[in-house]
Amino acid sequence: MVLSKTASHSDVSIHSTFASRYVRTSLPRFKMPEESIPKEAAYQIINDELMLDGNPRLNLASFVTTWMEPECDKLMMASINKNYVDMDEYPVTTELQNRCVNMIAHLFNAPLGDSDTAVGVGTVGSSEAIMLAGLAFKRKWQNKRKAEGKPYDKPNIVTGANVQVCWEKFARYFEVELKEVKLRDGYYVMDPAKAVEMVDENTICVAAILGSTLNGEFEDVKLLNDLLTEKNKQTGWDTPIHVDAASGGFIAPFLYPELEWDFRLPLVKSINVSGHKYGLVYAGIGWVIWRSKEDLPEELIFHINYLGADQPTFTLNFSKGSSQVIAQYYQLIRLGYEGYRNIMENCRENAMVLKEGLEKSGRFNIISKDEGVPLVAFSLKDNSRHDEFEVSDMLRRFGWIVPAYTMPPDAQHVTVLRVVIREDFSRTLAERLVIDIEKVLHDLDALPAKIAQKVAIEESAKNGAVDTRKIQLEITTAWRKFVMEKKKMNGVC
């Protein structure tokens, strides 16, 4: 099955202007060219096309790190040709990964003695980490059910409807039922009480989210642990907890050290975190940590020796680059606890600047919480004329990428805009964004209401009383006039 889509159907060739001194003919767009071209031409052709991509630092939809120090960039480039899986050939890289695992395990308060080694592994983001943790839970549950002579063919996971799509992937790929606690208006994370009610003897774990993608809110893992402990006592089950700390795992230990969400809670058996989010590393690195060796079934660990020595491995991936692992180690020792805390505090303060600016406009409801991932999720108080999707679309005029989306069931009637505050999002940018949002709102106020007109067209179509094409033409004309006026104002002199 083909998963890719072509961006253009108008031409099957790539044309280059700046590379014309090297190339006189066009290149095929979707087939390999028959002949080689100079390296300068290949570089220029690709570089020209990439100019049309958005600016990563203005992509406020993404949690992923978009800036690192030049020294770390150098380390990454120096190790870009190392295949991480070749542990015998690159033993120092393996050692750095093990150090990262232990540092993160201590950060998450794993019950380790002075001489104990943490159990965990680096992954390609939190998606792979969640797959591995889910497989460990499934296998442990199956082994226990087999030993008891009970059916083991209908495992399930209980989580909130606000989970990231990787949980749905895990459930579908590995045949596990996903039992989702529905959201409700004003409460956009998993309700621990309702989650525990949904737990049954086939539940392999309850997944809690430390930093919801939707609004950055931390779920109450402590309450979940207490309620589930009580249910386990009543039923004789031993249902565990996994914490998906993809976004919040590198935030909570520094901003909210007293918050109990990690291995301090006895039912938390594994935690995943994204090094490429607030771990401050470029995309491509995640981590999964287990409480103890007993929580990772031995039969899931493979031992290979054809790369030069016996190497235990538990990953879905085999070959992968070493750069991100080395970059993570750099950040951990470069910044230390103090550096991470300072960065997270700055992010939180910049989020407050943006939030306060939006509140002063009087046009938005703030959906996010002050305690959580440093982001601001907000919705229009009045979207009867223009909605959040139009605001998102018009902000692209200024280069901003601000996503608009609807909440999951049963809060799908709520539409939200979200701005993620990363390390490279300064206070100046926060203030500039507020100004640009106010400009967008002013421009939208002067335009015909698409929503109201859409309703009018639908009603007219039902009644047959008004020429719907005429209404649509009026809307289009007004918007075209608006765009042309903006082009004149933004002209180059």
Side-chain angles (χ1 to χ4, degrees):
M1 180 176 66
V2 178
L3 296 179
S4 62
K5 294 193 296 184
T6 59
S8 172
H9 298 283
S10 61
D11 200 338
V12 294
S13 300
I14 297 174
H15 303 280
S16 176
T17 301
F18 292 103
S20 59
R21 67 182 63 181
Y22 308 113
V23 179
R24 298 295 302 275
T25 58
S26 300
L27 295 175
R29 191 183 296 268
F30 305 119
K31 294 181 181 179
M32 286 181 64
E34 292 294 331
E35 299 176 353
S36 302
I37 62 174
K39 60 182 183 296
E40 297 89 350
Y43 169 82
Q44 193 66 60
I45 289 170
I46 297 171
N47 188 61
D48 290 349
E49 288 210 74
L50 289 175
M51 288 171 61
L52 298 176
D53 269 350
N55 184 340
R57 291 187 62 179
L58 297 183
N59 179 8
L60 306 182
S62 177
F63 291 82
V64 175
T65 297
T66 53
W67 177 86
M68 297 185 73
E69 292 175 324
E71 290 77 9
C72 193
D73 289 345
K74 292 177 184 177
L75 285 172
M76 295 184 74
M77 289 306 300
S79 58
I80 201 167
N81 59 349
K82 291 182 180 179
N83 185 1
Y84 170 75
V85 77
D86 199 344
M87 300 178 187
D88 189 58
E89 186 71 23
Y90 308 118
V92 176
T93 300
T94 302
E95 169 65 15
L96 297 186
Q97 191 239 211
N98 294 339
R99 292 179 192 176
C100 289
V101 166
N102 281 271
M103 288 181 183
I104 295 170
H106 282 289
L107 190 65
F108 294 167
N109 294 293
L112 299 171
D114 293 337
S115 59
D116 291 340
T117 301
V119 181
V121 67
T123 59
V124 184
S126 275
S127 293
E128 184 187 7
I130 284 168
M131 303 283 176
L132 298 178
L135 284 171
F137 282 120
K138 182 180 179 182
R139 184 55 58 91
K140 281 207 70 175
W141 175 83
Q142 287 177 326
N143 290 344
K144 184 174 183 292
R145 299 282 290 182
K146 289 177 184 178
E148 295 172 348
K150 297 179 180 178
Y152 54 88
D153 59 334
K154 294 182 179 180
N156 68 65
I157 286 178
V158 174
T159 190
N162 56 311
V163 292
Q164 214 262 358
V165 70
C166 60
W167 282 98
E168 298 177 34
K169 288 183 177 181
F170 168 77
R172 192 175 302 177
Y173 293 167
F174 296 101
E175 298 181 327
V176 175
E177 180 189 1
L178 199 64
K179 299 172 69 174
E180 295 184 346
V181 178
K182 304 298 184 185
L183 310 185
R184 62 179 185 271
D185 197 2
Y187 195 91
Y188 305 116
V189 292
M190 178 180 71
D191 185 330
K194 291 184 177 180
V196 172
E197 287 177 7
M198 296 175 71
V199 169
D200 58 32
E201 63 179 353
N202 293 321
T203 302
I204 63 175
C205 78
V206 180
I209 312 298
L210 193 79
S212 172
T213 300
L214 301 177
N215 68 344
E217 188 174 350
F218 292 165
E219 294 183 344
D220 194 339
V221 188
K222 176 67 165 60
L223 178 58
L224 176 64
N225 178 86
D226 294 345
L227 294 174
L228 193 54
T229 297
E230 186 62 30
K231 183 159 188 172
N232 284 342
K233 287 180 181 178
Q234 295 173 358
T235 59
W237 304 333
D238 55 358
T239 308
I241 295 172
H242 173 83
V243 179
D244 179 357
S247 299
F250 278 109
I251 294 172
F254 306 107
L255 292 184
Y256 316 105
E258 303 304 317
L259 182 67
E260 293 184 56
W261 64 272
D262 51 20
F263 292 121
R264 285 171 287 183
L265 303 175
L267 289 184
V268 175
K269 303 300 183 183
S270 56
I271 300 172
N272 70 276
V273 65
S274 291
H276 62 218
K277 292 183 180 175
Y278 288 92
L280 308 179
V281 177
Y282 292 140
I285 184 68
W287 303 91
V288 57
I289 312 294
W290 284 271
R291 169 182 286 274
S292 66
K293 293 180 180 178
E294 290 71 31
D295 297 305
L296 177 57
E298 177 64 30
E299 63 263 36
L300 293 179
I301 301 174
F302 291 83
H303 294 266
I304 58 173
N305 62 8
Y306 51 79
L307 293 176
D310 179 67
Q311 299 174 4
T313 175
F314 178 39
T315 58
L316 298 180
N317 239 54
F318 195 68
S319 294
K320 66 178 179 181
S322 298
S323 297
Q324 272 77 11
V325 170
I326 293 169
Q328 184 73 82
Y329 184 67
Y330 171 90
Q331 293 289 50
L332 292 173
I333 67 168
R334 159 77 175 91
L335 296 170
Y337 192 93
E338 177 190 31
Y340 269 96
R341 184 184 64 238
N342 289 340
I343 289 171
M344 301 311 155
E345 286 177 349
N346 285 339
C347 289
R348 179 174 60 182
E349 290 170 6
N350 289 338
M352 291 300 103
V353 169
L354 177 60
K355 175 191 171 186
E356 290 167 5
L358 293 172
E359 287 177 329
K360 285 180 182 178
S361 74
R363 302 288 294 269
F364 296 102
N365 293 315
I366 305 300
I367 305 298
S368 51
K369 306 294 184 182
D370 290 347
E371 182 177 290
V373 177
L375 62 79
V376 183
F378 53 103
S379 61
L380 287 165
K381 288 183 177 179
D382 180 9
N383 61 3
S384 59
R385 283 179 49 81
H386 298 284
D387 62 18
E388 290 79 1
F389 292 100
E390 291 176 75
V391 175
S392 173
D393 186 53
M394 291 190 69
L395 278 171
R396 287 179 179 265
R397 290 191 294 125
F398 301 98
W400 301 109
I401 300 174
V402 178
Y405 50 87
T406 56
M407 289 290 192
D410 287 331
Q412 60 266 41
H413 59 284
V414 179
T415 305
V416 174
L417 292 153
R418 187 194 68 212
V419 174
V420 178
I421 310 299
R422 300 188 301 272
E423 179 187 6
D424 56 356
F425 187 82
S426 66
R427 182 165 301 190
T428 301
L429 286 177
E431 293 169 348
R432 181 76 246 177
L433 177 59
V434 171
I435 293 172
D436 289 343
I437 289 175
E438 290 176 343
K439 287 180 180 178
V440 164
L441 293 174
H442 179 268
D443 290 340
L444 284 173
D445 289 342
L447 287 168
K450 283 187 175 181
I451 297 173
Q453 294 288 4
K454 182 181 178 183
V455 172
I457 290 173
E458 292 174 350
E459 290 297 320
S460 298
K462 290 179 183 177
N463 301 327
V466 180
D467 186 346
T468 57
R469 293 181 62 186
K470 182 178 179 182
I471 296 176
Q472 188 63 54
L473 181 60
E474 292 174 358
I475 299 172
T476 305
T477 302
W479 278 82
R480 185 181 293 117
K481 180 181 177 183
F482 167 77
V483 172
M484 293 305 296
E485 288 175 352
K486 286 298 174 185
K487 285 185 177 180
K488 292 177 183 178
M489 290 171 60
N490 297 330
V492 179
C493 58

